[in-house]
Amino acid sequence: MAGQGTPATALLVKQKVTHRTHPYDVSPDSPRYGAEVAAALGVPPERVFKSLVTEVDGALTVAVVPVTGELDLKALAASVGGKRAVLADRAVAERATGYVRGGISPLGQRKRLPTVVDSSATGLSTMYVSAGRRGLQLELAPADLIRLTGATTAPIAA
């Protein structure tokens, strides 16, 4: 299923990348948002990934990790040759990506940011990431996500 009107889906259509969109209904304020998204989609939570905007030594970097765990900030910093990583301020993340929290996609961002995908994704046939708005996930091959974002892979999930 192509299109849904986000920059992420538009990029996939333009690049002729095989993908599917999956709508879901979960409150963005849920403390277990990722797990609830996986349950709503009926897929194992280790296949659903969240996109976190971070600052590594002051430079914005996107980390894509499974919703089943947390981001290991030290591992992220090391994976890009940095010393210190912190989560970016919400307003900074939204401004840089053009997306709102809970709907930040690693694809089609306003400014292409360096991206690191947790290495667990490489063992999956498909993975799920935000399509660029709350309530919509993209299913695509990890290799396509890595190629389109110019991502590196590293064990960055705790």
Side-chain angles (χ1 to χ4, degrees):
M1 178 176 177
Q4 286 289 333
T6 72
T9 57
L11 174 66
L12 292 172
V13 170
K14 181 180 177 190
Q15 295 291 321
K16 297 178 173 47
V17 172
T18 300
H19 68 283
R20 292 180 53 200
T21 55
H22 299 275
Y24 63 92
D25 185 20
V26 172
S27 169
D29 297 321
S30 169
R32 297 185 59 247
Y33 185 73
E36 289 186 30
V37 169
L41 296 174
V43 298
E46 58 272 7
R47 291 183 59 203
V48 180
F49 286 68
K50 55 189 170 186
S51 302
L52 302 171
V53 180
T54 66
E55 289 186 34
V56 179
D57 297 341
L60 292 178
T61 303
V62 177
V64 182
V65 296
V67 299
T68 54
E70 297 296 320
L71 171 61
D72 181 334
L73 291 165
K74 285 184 179 185
L76 173 66
S79 75
V80 295
K83 294 183 193 273
R84 183 171 182 267
V86 295
L87 289 176
D89 177 75
R90 175 182 178 166
V92 170
E94 290 178 349
R95 194 169 40 253
T97 63
Y99 296 121
V100 298
R101 184 181 68 89
I104 293 179
S105 178
L107 296 163
Q109 296 177 354
R110 180 175 290 147
K111 179 182 177 194
R112 186 167 164 178
L113 300 172
T115 302
V116 181
V117 176
D118 184 68
S119 54
S120 67
T122 60
L124 302 172
S125 57
T126 62
M127 64 189 293
Y128 293 74
V129 296
S130 175
R133 68 175 163 86
R134 293 176 185 150
L136 190 64
Q137 289 279 303
L138 285 171
E139 179 184 5
L140 74 164
D144 287 329
L145 175 69
I146 292 163
R147 178 177 55 82
L148 290 173
T149 59
T152 57
T153 59
I156 58 169

